[in-house]
């Protein structure tokens, strides 16, 4: 058995390596239902799994599969006029990162609860923050120093295991909480400062930075390609610390063995970056647990919060 597996591994061409891709494109789509049908057929034919959200404002894609199949998918998808020149982020997969394929039409490709506020043209989101490459982020810090604020555009539980050093982490259970928090005035004191928004792959900050600009923040930036692109450049040698939460079965990515462990076990406070699914099959909550606590069934059970745990909705959130 082992021999067979080894022989298989040796002869398996690299193109069959499991990978995960993330990309998005904000562009007006007149017929999201037709795009959905086309995307579903395409993914199905290539045995890809993952999640695709489509709205009249664009598309948001997270898929896992063999590298060669994903490349075929990207080539086909990019033939659609609105999808030319896609910026695809690639990462290592396991081959079982997604349980199924879901291709859906929604009001929004990221759920801020503000579909009517978002304005999109062929160039993308109208009124978004200024895009910064990883190096430009560092240049901004050199020029402006401590005045620069990092603003985490993700949910608080994602930031619990990794974030930019010194970042402001809004108390959000879901992306929908951002509009309420911004409108509450909680961050009005940042309105005259340079604010650098960031998220996993950049899609949430496309919208978040536009929402902030519209609310009078004077100098809003977004990290182009999000933490994924930043970490490609700097891994753990820059301003990012910890693990990056991802919305698939991997749950987190690390950019090298020297990643800082920022999270703490919810049972015993031991440092850990590993979320686990609640032991109750019907519950979709995640619990941050150390290795010791994770082996005890009682620790992995989030009850009696099952029904109300805010993170219970993480699987239905938009990937980014
Ligand atoms: Zn523990
Ligand atoms: Zn639970």
């Amino acid at each position: 058995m082992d021999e067979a597996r080894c022989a298989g591994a040796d002869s398996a061409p690299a193109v069959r390596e499991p990978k995960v891709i993330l990309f998005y494109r904000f562009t007006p789509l007149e017929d999201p239902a037709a795009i959905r049908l086309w995307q579903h057929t395409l993914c199905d034919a290539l045995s890809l799994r993952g999640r695709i959200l489509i709205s009249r404002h664009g598309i948001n894609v997270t898929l896992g599969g063999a590298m060669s199949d994903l490349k075929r998918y990207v080539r086909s998808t990019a033939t659609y006029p609105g999808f030319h020149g896609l910026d695809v982020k690639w990462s290592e997969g396991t081959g079982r990162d997604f349980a199924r394929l879901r291709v859906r039409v929604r009001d929004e490709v990221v759920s801020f609860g503000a579909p009517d506020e978002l304005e999109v043209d062929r160039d993308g989101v109208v009124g978004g923050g200024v895009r910064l490459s990883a190096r430009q982020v560092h240049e901004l810090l050199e020029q402006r120093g401590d005045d620069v604020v990092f603003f985490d555009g993700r949910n608080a539980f994602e930031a619990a295991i990794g974030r930019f050093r010194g970042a402001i982490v809004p108390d959000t259970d879901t992306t929908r909480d951002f509009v309420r928090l911004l409108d509450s005035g909680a961050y009005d004191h940042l309105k005259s400062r340079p604010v650098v928004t960031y998220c996993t792959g950049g899609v949430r900050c496309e919208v978040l930075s536009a929402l902030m600009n519209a609310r009078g923040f004077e100098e809003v930036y977004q990290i182009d390609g999000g933490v994924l692109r930043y970490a490609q450049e700097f891994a753990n040698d820059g301003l990012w610390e910890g693990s990056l939460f991802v919305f698939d079965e991997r749950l987190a990515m690390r950019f090298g063995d020297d990643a800082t462990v920022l999270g703490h076990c919810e049972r015993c406070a031991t440092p850990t970056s590993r979320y686990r699914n609640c032991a109750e099959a019907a519950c979709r909550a995640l619990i941050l647990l150390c290795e010791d606590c994770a082996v005890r069934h009682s620790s992995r059970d989030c009850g009696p919060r099952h029904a109300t745990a805010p993170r219970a909705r993480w699987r239905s959130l938009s990937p980014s």
Side-chain angles (χ1 to χ4, degrees):
M1 185 64 193
D2 277 353
E3 273 178 35
R5 195 186 300 148
C6 285
D10 285 346
S11 59
V15 291
R16 300 306 300 172
E17 272 175 32
K19 297 281 180 184
V20 173
I21 58 168
L22 253 73
F23 70 86
Y24 64 86
R25 171 60 62 85
F26 283 101
T27 189
L29 298 177
E30 279 181 17
D31 192 349
I35 303 278
R36 192 203 78 83
L37 191 61
W38 164 53
Q39 285 283 297
H40 194 280
T41 306
L42 180 59
C43 291
D44 217 25
L46 293 167
S47 303
L48 303 180
R49 290 175 173 186
R51 192 165 19 193
I52 300 179
L53 295 176
I54 301 155
S55 81
R56 63 195 158 94
H57 294 134
I59 188 167
N60 188 8
V61 175
T62 311
L63 288 172
M67 182 155 69
S68 53
D69 295 330
L70 287 166
K71 282 186 169 170
R72 273 190 211 108
Y73 163 82
V74 172
R75 271 201 300 274
S76 284
T77 297
T79 59
Y80 184 78
F83 298 157
H84 286 331
L86 292 171
D87 176 21
V88 179
K89 290 123 211 156
W90 292 79
S91 60
E92 302 301 321
T94 63
R96 48 182 188 284
D97 304 302
F98 301 91
R100 62 182 73 83
L101 173 67
R102 284 190 207 158
V103 187
R104 303 256 164 88
V105 173
R106 294 263 175 87
D107 284 345
E108 297 173 288
V109 293
V110 277
S111 304
F112 278 90
D116 296 330
E117 189 177 333
L118 186 66
E119 198 186 329
V120 165
D121 66 19
R122 285 176 192 284
D123 297 321
V125 172
V126 176
V130 176
R131 283 191 180 74
L132 298 178
S133 68
R135 290 190 180 279
Q136 287 170 323
V137 170
H138 289 220
E139 282 165 21
L140 181 70
L141 279 158
E142 276 165 28
Q143 290 160 12
R144 310 288 293 278
D146 290 344
D147 206 25
V148 178
V149 192
F150 284 102
F151 193 88
D152 202 306
R154 305 169 303 155
N155 303 304
F157 74 87
E158 296 172 66
I161 59 168
R163 55 192 173 264
F164 274 91
R165 197 173 301 151
I168 288 176
V169 177
D171 185 17
T172 48
D173 287 331
T174 79
T175 302
R176 287 175 182 271
D177 293 333
F178 278 102
V179 171
R180 176 180 54 77
L181 283 170
L182 290 174
D183 287 342
S184 76
Y187 300 108
D188 281 2
H189 60 288
L190 304 177
K191 281 187 170 172
S192 60
R193 292 175 63 180
V195 177
V196 179
T197 63
Y198 66 90
C199 59
T200 318
V203 66
R204 283 180 275 187
C205 291
E206 295 274 359
V207 182
L208 176 62
S209 64
L211 294 173
M212 293 177 90
N213 273 332
R215 280 158 180 76
F217 288 79
E218 290 165 15
E219 197 176 346
V220 183
Y221 300 91
Q222 53 182 325
I223 298 185
D224 202 16
V227 178
L228 283 171
R229 189 55 37 85
Y230 178 89
Q232 253 176 12
E233 189 97 8
F234 288 103
N236 299 315
D237 299 326
L239 299 156
W240 172 261
E241 290 182 325
S243 299
L244 177 65
F245 185 89
V246 289
F247 288 87
D248 59 60
E249 300 300 329
R250 296 174 300 171
L251 292 177
M253 290 172 62
R254 291 195 310 166
F255 307 111
D257 293 334
D258 56 340
T260 314
V261 178
L262 291 185
H264 291 96
C265 176
E266 292 182 28
R267 301 296 182 222
C268 74
T270 298
T272 180
S273 298
R274 277 200 65 184
Y275 277 105
R276 326 267 171 158
N277 292 301
C278 175
E280 170 63 46
C283 175
R284 290 179 156 185
L286 292 173
I287 317 170
L288 195 50
L289 291 176
C290 71
E291 297 296 328
D292 287 346
C293 292
V295 298
R296 284 198 300 277
H297 186 276
S298 58
S299 296
R300 284 200 297 118
D301 193 322
C302 85
R305 293 187 301 164
H306 293 311
T308 54
R311 290 194 300 258
R313 284 155 66 187
W314 77 273
R315 284 178 199 274
S316 63
L317 296 175
S318 308
S320 68

